[in-house]
Each structure stands twice: as structure tokens, then as C-alpha cells.
Amino acid sequence: MKLNPQKTALLTLDLQKGVFGLVPGSERVMPVAAKAVAFGRQNQFRIIHVGLGFSEGHPEIPDFECPFSRIKQNNLFVKNTPSVEFHSDIFHPNDLVIYKQRVGAFSDNHLELVLRSRRIEHLVLFGIATSGIVLSTLRRAFDLDFRSVVLKDACFDADQEVHRVLTEKVFPVQAWVAATDELIAAQKG
């Protein structure tokens, strides 16, 4: 699949310092993620980092027990704190950052508006976790008629079997699933 740079956005998903602290082993995707971002920059794809970002006191998280309770209890992912920072191997100060308060990249934020205003049609996405933000984002992107590429070697899931099933059986129905080098080769050809 040859991508038009003016109509393509590369989305890094939850590649934040706080996530690496919560998901052991996840940082091993960073060399491949950095290669993908560097390729995106060289080819003038719009680079967008999507990650968790809450207001002070976490008013976006309910007081009852929920999957985000641990974040609130540990005072993580408050905007302008170290845990929301994106990995230095992929982040440049002029990059666009979009915060979310739930799992999917499109969750109650302006990501869709930004993509539509830039006339983006194709998304290249990857991140942590394959069964979390990557799955949720791909499903929503498909429903919004974006054509997507999932870079399987730049995604991480604590459960390797879940990662395999998603990238081999589930994602291919809604996206081109490729290794980073496959995407790079396809753009050169």
C-alpha cells in the first residue's frame, strides 16, 4: 500500500513514560517505534502522539472502582508531569500531542477533528497495548472510514498470544497489518 504523505498521519499510542512503568517489558518496542516515526518524518507524514492525560485531581476518573482507579490512586498521567511525557526516541517538541482519558485514541478528544481538518485519510498506528488502545483505536478508525496500517512489530501486549491473535486474525479484517520494514519497502516501491 503506497501512502500519500499529505493524507497520512502516524499515530503513536500510549508510548509514555508512565505506561512503561506500568507494563513491564513494553519498552522493547521503542527501537522499532523510533524507526517508524523517523520514516514518517522523512516522508512528511503528520506525526501525532496520543496518550493518557488527566487534569489535576483526576476529575475525569469516577470515585468507584474502575480500570483507571490505579492511575488516580498513584497520581499518574496528570498533564505536565513526567508520566505523560512521550518517549524521547519518538518525541520532538513541535509534535502534536492529543490527550485522552479512556482507552481508545478517539475517546472524548479532538483527534477526529484534527484528522478531518488536515484531510487525513490513512492512519499508521502502533503502541501499547495491542489489546487496549491499538484495538480500540483501529475499531473506531474503521467505523470513521479511515484506512489504517497497524505496525505489528511496534505494538506490545503483555499477553503475547493475544497480540498474535489480534495481529494475525482480527486486525487484518480492518487494516493492513505489516512489520515496519514492510511498510518502508512498500513506500519505496
Side-chain angles (χ1 to χ4, degrees), residues 10-16 19-20 25-38 90 124-131 133-134 149-157 163 167 171 177-184:
L10 185 142
L11 305 180
T12 75
L13 305 172
D14 284 351
L15 295 177
Q16 297 168 283
V19 172
F20 297 122
S26 59
E27 204 162 352
R28 71 176 169 226
V29 301
M30 287 313 303
V32 178
K35 183 177 187 175
V37 171
I90 60 168
V124 176
L125 55 105
F126 53 90
I128 304 166
T130 313
S131 62
I133 189 170
V134 179
V149 177
V150 176
L151 297 180
K152 63 184 176 184
D153 56 345
C155 293
F156 179 86
D157 201 280
H163 173 83
T167 58
F171 292 173
V177 179
T180 301
D181 285 339
E182 289 177 271
L183 173 70
I184 292 170

Side-chain angles (χ1 to χ4, degrees), residues 90-103:
I90 60 168
F91 183 76
H92 287 179
N94 58 344
D95 288 348
L96 180 59
V97 171
I98 296 182
Y99 291 112
K100 64 186 180 72
Q101 291 76 43
R102 293 297 181 267
V103 176

Side-chain angles (χ1 to χ4, degrees), residues 55-151:
S55 302
E56 186 71 40
H58 298 86
E60 305 91 346
I61 298 176
D63 291 330
F64 57 83
E65 191 65 30
C66 74
F68 292 95
S69 296
R70 182 174 165 198
I71 289 170
K72 188 174 187 175
Q73 291 165 353
N74 293 304
N75 198 34
L76 295 172
F77 300 103
V78 175
K79 292 175 189 170
N80 300 313
T81 66
S83 62
V84 300
E85 292 175 11
F86 288 87
H87 197 285
S88 60
D89 288 354
I90 60 168
F91 183 76
H92 287 179
N94 58 344
D95 288 348
L96 180 59
V97 171
I98 296 182
Y99 291 112
K100 64 186 180 72
Q101 291 76 43
R102 293 297 181 267
V103 176
F106 289 96
S107 298
D108 298 320
N109 59 28
H110 59 283
L111 177 58
E112 182 184 2
L113 177 64
V114 168
L115 296 172
R116 299 282 184 217
S117 70
R118 302 287 181 224
R119 294 190 171 102
I120 298 297
E121 296 176 5
H122 293 93
L123 304 177
V124 176
L125 55 105
F126 53 90
I128 304 166
T130 313
S131 62
I133 189 170
V134 179
L135 173 62
S136 296
T137 302
L138 177 59
R139 294 289 199 202
R140 185 68 182 138
F142 182 80
D143 285 346
L144 293 171
D145 297 321
F146 290 103
R147 289 170 278 175
S148 299
V149 177
V150 176
L151 297 180

